[in-house]
Amino acid sequence: MSRKKVIAANWKMFKTPAQAQEFVTSFLPLVVGHDRDEIVVCPSDTSLSVVIAAATGSNVAVGAQNMYFADEGAFTGETSPVMLKAIGATHVILGHSERRQYFGETDETVNKKLLAALKHELKPIVCIGEVLAEREGGKTEEVLLRQTHKAFTGVTAEQAETMVIAYEPVWAIGTGKTATPQMAAEAHAIVRGEIAKLLGEPAAKAMRILYGGSVKPENASALMAESEIDGALVGGASLDPQSFAKIVKY
Ligand code: 13P
């Protein structure tokens, strides 16, 4: 069974609404008619509405980079799944390593957020990945199994079909160091095996597992050639429309 690849942009804390609008204006003509892959752009919350308006009716979906798990409440500074849905966001990145590293995100909060996203029919892109010390200490498999197991607790096999996982080895993010296609494929196979155990073989076969970490126009095609790699989550190289379009068209 062949899985449609997802090429997603994570802009992180870059771009004002005007800059985001400018990106979409330049980017859409570069990918018009491209339906081989799903294309998702994830701006910061302040640019979501602008990007959604600019991309409506196109082949580009729009997602948030984070959300809280409650529908509403006294949670200063947070954004809820209800709010994201209301403005027309379709996707949400959850558990990015920068959220885990700098903002106290844990396997438990990622799980709560995942269940909330599914409840509100937002398509989650759940990030997992080992840090350098874990890779060097031979702990990669253990970390991936733990993160996968905890994130997906309570998820049903049916829900799993819309979910996307992003394997992002933390040592490869923003460093210019990319995991080799073989390293990424190996990690993806470990994660898919755990999903099969948790949610069954059909769910594991349907689930898209993206690779993230220094994906560039130059290395995208080698990574995408691996049958285990179902797309990319791109940081730095997604900020420029030409560069991101090249990755989309690997
Ligand atoms: P870079 O592509 O800049 O390494 O970032 C990867 C990433 O964290 C995407 O979520």
Side-chain angles (χ1 to χ4, degrees), residues 10 12 96 98 168 172-175 212-215 233-236:
N10 174 11
K12 308 191 178 183
H96 190 279
E98 285 148 17
E168 300 204 308
I173 295 179
T175 58
S214 298
V215 176
L233 183 56
V234 189

Side-chain angles (χ1 to χ4, degrees), residues 129-147 167 169 171 183 186-187 190-191:
E130 79 286 0
V131 301
L132 185 61
E134 291 163 341
R135 174 152 291 262
E136 289 180 345
K139 298 230 176 335
T140 299
E141 178 162 0
E142 183 186 320
V143 170
L144 295 180
L145 292 178
R146 187 202 74 224
Q147 291 179 335
Y167 167 61
W171 49 269
M183 274 159 100
E186 236 171 71
I190 291 168
V191 174

Side-chain angles (χ1 to χ4, degrees), residues 121-180:
E121 295 177 335
L122 284 163
K123 294 176 188 157
I125 301 174
V126 180
C127 301
I128 56 173
E130 79 286 0
V131 301
L132 185 61
E134 291 163 341
R135 174 152 291 262
E136 289 180 345
K139 298 230 176 335
T140 299
E141 178 162 0
E142 183 186 320
V143 170
L144 295 180
L145 292 178
R146 187 202 74 224
Q147 291 179 335
T148 307
H149 189 90
K150 292 206 171 159
F152 291 94
T153 299
V155 170
T156 68
E158 268 175 343
Q159 289 172 320
E161 312 240 324
T162 62
M163 290 186 315
V164 173
I165 298 180
Y167 167 61
E168 300 204 308
V170 179
W171 49 269
I173 295 179
T175 58
K177 284 185 203 156
T178 322
T180 63

